[in-house]
Amino acid sequence: MNSIIQCLSGTIPLARYFISGTYKNHINGKNPLGTGGVLAKSFAELLSVMWNDNYNFISPVTFRKSLIKFAPQFSGTEQQDSQEFLNFLLDGLHEDVNTVIRRPSPTLESPEEEAAFEKLPDWKASGIAWEKYLARNASLIVTLFQGQYRSRLRCLSCNTTSTTYNTFMSLSLPIPAKRSGPPSVSLFQCLDYFVKEEVLEKDNAWNCPTCKKRRRATKSLTLSRLPDVLLIHLKRFSFDGPFRDKLETMITYPLKGLDLSGYVPSTMTDPSQERPSFNYDLYAVSNHYGSLTGGHYTACVRNKYRDQWHNFDDTRFSVCDEDKVMSRAAYNLFYVRSTVR
């Protein structure tokens, strides 16, 4: 909890939103998926105390009580996964400040509508899917953290395609290495592995709507929209049959100038609009040390006002050398678009 909260506290646009009290204008007390604002209020109070110079340390007892009332899975003392905690917390905050009061009922598209959607330019199809999502989900959490990727199936017999656009809060990247694999891989290799085209065949063959039978098909993922704050989860915990393992592979990642423009095709940008920047700077890392059964989390967070990296290790705080920010323990990476202030 400490590791993730320190990283979120270092997310300046988010901290500003809660500490200033702006969030109060957006509390949705009628949302059955939210907490009636209880979680948002306790999170805002926690950040306010953390950013107050009057305290050397704090114990987030009130915040934890608010949290476990709605997420009893975090009530014990056993180790939890920081990625799950991060996603739950952001989802809970989103539902508390989701400004959509009445969500439109989901509608099923006819085969004709689906066929027409397939023929749209990428940027238009992506935009329509995003607007549909915003009709049900509108909050600062969505604005800051949520992106979109395109998943496309293509029949290898008749070339029929089926395309869906999905939102994500964080990119969960597989690590292309086994225990006996290379000592280190780059973040770009993880991204390449994530978007690598896959062939579906035999038991996984696609039921092609044109051929009216199961066919060999390709499945490809493409990033279609990237958020201002990009969360990257490195999938260190692998599941190989009945065995669970932790990959200690060193992942190399840039601290500044992560360029993702090569992963968002130019067809995803409206030709009449200027293409956004896809350059990102690292500002926080949540680290996991140890094994599956017992481990320890720390955080490295950049204080942009002092231009220093700070290390948070439960009861210990220290200034961290920049060359120590990258380590084998990196589990969640927090990047911000270079143009965001």
Side-chain angles (χ1 to χ4, degrees):
M1 186 170 72
N2 183 22
S3 170
I4 292 300
I5 288 172
Q6 295 291 0
C7 293
L8 289 178
S9 173
T11 308
I12 303 302
L14 181 75
R16 192 183 293 130
Y17 174 71
F18 280 100
I19 294 172
S20 68
T22 306
Y23 78 95
K24 293 176 185 174
N25 301 325
H26 305 140
I27 292 292
N28 186 340
K30 296 180 179 177
N31 185 358
L33 299 176
T35 69
V38 174
L39 184 61
K41 182 173 183 287
S42 61
F43 183 66
E45 288 170 350
L46 176 60
L47 288 185
S48 296
V49 174
M50 288 173 70
W51 280 78
N52 189 319
D53 287 339
N54 294 336
Y55 303 91
N56 289 327
F57 68 91
I58 53 169
S59 184
V61 177
T62 310
F63 170 77
R64 187 167 181 270
K65 278 182 181 172
S66 302
L67 180 80
I68 61 179
K69 198 179 293 181
F70 304 100
Q73 67 266 38
F74 298 119
S75 60
T77 55
E78 67 275 11
Q79 178 173 274
Q80 301 286 347
D81 188 290
S82 71
Q83 162 70 4
E84 289 179 12
F85 175 75
L86 172 61
N87 278 340
F88 176 83
L89 177 55
L90 289 178
D91 279 339
L93 292 173
H94 157 65
E95 296 297 358
D96 268 5
V97 296
N98 187 356
T99 55
V100 176
I101 304 298
R102 188 171 296 173
R103 299 185 182 204
S105 301
T107 55
L108 283 174
E109 291 186 337
S110 68
E112 293 76 22
E113 287 173 321
E114 287 182 9
F117 185 76
E118 288 298 315
K119 292 176 183 171
L120 291 174
D122 287 343
W123 63 269
K124 189 167 277 189
S126 165
I128 288 171
W130 185 249
E131 289 302 320
K132 276 188 180 178
Y133 182 75
L134 292 184
R136 303 172 65 83
N137 301 277
S139 72
L140 181 87
I141 306 300
V142 171
T143 303
L144 282 182
F145 296 99
Q146 293 197 0
Q148 182 195 66
Y149 65 85
R150 183 189 74 190
S151 177
R152 175 167 285 168
L153 294 167
R154 182 184 299 278
C155 176
L156 289 174
S157 297
C158 71
N159 273 335
T160 292
T161 60
S162 175
T163 309
T164 54
Y165 289 85
N166 303 287
T167 55
F168 65 84
M169 186 83 80
S170 65
L171 281 180
S172 282
L173 300 184
I175 299 171
K178 301 293 181 203
R179 274 201 168 280
S180 57
S184 77
V185 297
S186 71
L187 186 61
F188 293 107
Q189 285 174 288
C190 296
L191 282 158
D192 290 342
Y193 200 49
F194 176 70
V195 299
K196 185 181 175 186
E197 192 171 83
E198 182 185 352
V199 176
L200 306 178
E201 55 189 344
K202 297 177 181 173
D203 290 346
N204 293 323
W206 180 41
N207 201 354
C208 174
T210 303
C211 297
K212 307 292 186 197
K213 60 168 69 174
R214 293 173 77 81
R215 293 290 201 186
R216 286 180 77 240
T218 58
K219 180 182 180 182
S220 58
L221 291 181
T222 304
L223 297 179
S224 49
R225 179 183 292 266
L226 289 177
D228 282 346
V229 178
L230 179 63
L231 307 179
I232 295 178
H233 165 229
L234 301 172
K235 294 170 80 171
R236 291 201 175 276
F237 300 109
S238 65
F239 301 88
D240 188 6
F243 303 104
R244 298 179 66 193
D245 204 357
K246 183 186 175 191
L247 292 169
E248 300 279 1
T249 310
M250 178 72 177
I251 312 292
T252 58
Y253 45 86
L255 271 59
K256 288 187 178 168
L258 171 67
D259 181 7
L260 296 178
S261 57
Y263 295 92
V264 186
S266 58
T267 55
M268 293 296 176
T269 306
D270 181 344
S272 66
Q273 305 287 325
E274 187 180 345
R275 188 163 157 84
S277 163
F278 295 116
N279 273 335
Y280 288 82
D281 298 328
L282 188 76
Y283 70 90
V285 183
S286 173
N287 299 301
H288 179 272
Y289 295 91
S291 64
L292 284 163
T293 50
H296 180 60
Y297 288 102
T298 68
C300 278
V301 185
R302 182 173 176 266
N303 182 318
K304 77 171 196 174
Y305 298 109
R306 295 181 180 174
D307 197 22
Q308 286 178 334
W309 282 90
H310 292 167
N311 187 54
F312 298 95
D313 186 356
D314 287 352
T315 58
R316 292 187 294 278
F317 159 81
S318 59
V319 174
C320 175
D321 291 336
E322 193 170 83
D323 59 4
K324 299 283 197 310
V325 173
M326 193 190 306
S327 77
R328 290 181 185 278
Y331 186 46
N332 288 291
L333 306 177
F334 292 69
Y335 278 95
V336 63
R337 201 186 297 270
S338 305
T339 53
V340 172
R341 293 289 170 261

